[in-house]
Amino acid sequence: MASRAILSCVMILTAVGIVVSGCGSGVKTDLAVPNSTTPASPSIAGEFTKPDQVPSTVVLHARTVSGLAVPNVLVYLSLIEPCDPVRQNVPGGESTQSLGLDATTDANGAARYLAVTGCYRFGVKTPPSGKRTESPEPGTLFVTVPGQTVEGSLIFADQ
């Protein structure tokens, strides 16, 4: 009698597992962009992710010409499509920035994102008071391999 009850419980749990794993299987989602006001973790400002791809990390560094970190800078990272990240080719006039996320650099002058392979533009959305940007904008980054870390620099004048 007890084994029949256990078998019933196992069958019910198996059925629930099949139903849950089948939910949404007919819906294809290319890119998931969570609410940018709720970071994935304390050190990740935003993410461009796909369920079937290991995410890469993009780190934007805000620094002065002399190398000092510049915290609290509002920066952006935008995915560019179409593009060829392996050849580092963004077709002129054809590409658009399809998705973008803003972030504020931390105490070390860094903003981190999770990203899929692709081409990205980045820059300063709002420069800090009294700071002049020295780096050309927008910058371009190419994430060519899942799981890699790619870095970009935003340089400010020493003042």
Side-chain angles (χ1 to χ4, degrees):
M1 189 75 145
S3 55
R4 187 176 284 178
I6 291 172
L7 183 59
S8 292
C9 286
V10 169
M11 290 175 61
I12 290 170
L13 290 175
T14 301
V16 168
I18 290 170
V19 169
V20 169
S21 66
C23 285
S25 61
V27 178
K28 181 167 174 29
T29 304
D30 272 37
L31 207 53
V33 180
N35 181 344
S36 61
T37 60
T38 308
S41 75
S43 62
I44 301 295
E47 44 182 275
F48 300 91
T49 58
K50 288 183 179 179
D52 60 340
Q53 190 178 106
V54 174
S56 294
T57 303
V58 172
V59 184
L60 301 181
H61 297 280
R63 303 229 177 269
T64 63
V65 172
S66 63
L68 298 174
V70 182
N72 302 315
V73 178
L74 184 59
V75 298
Y76 68 89
L77 181 70
S78 298
L79 180 64
I80 306 167
E81 294 178 327
C83 85
D84 183 351
V86 174
R87 291 191 177 105
Q88 298 189 354
N89 180 23
V90 178
E94 300 172 29
S95 297
T96 60
Q97 296 182 48
S98 61
L99 295 171
L101 291 174
D102 297 341
T104 302
T105 58
D106 62 17
N108 297 316
R112 291 168 185 77
Y113 299 86
L114 294 180
V116 295
T117 56
C119 304
Y120 295 86
R121 286 204 174 103
F122 68 94
V124 176
K125 191 136 192 181
T126 307
S129 180
K131 295 283 186 193
R132 187 180 74 240
T133 305
E134 293 286 325
S135 51
E137 286 196 47
T140 306
L141 293 172
F142 301 96
V143 178
T144 58
V145 179
Q148 76 180 127
T149 298
V150 178
E151 299 182 345
S153 293
L154 300 160
I155 308 298
F156 294 91
D158 289 310
Q159 294 178 353

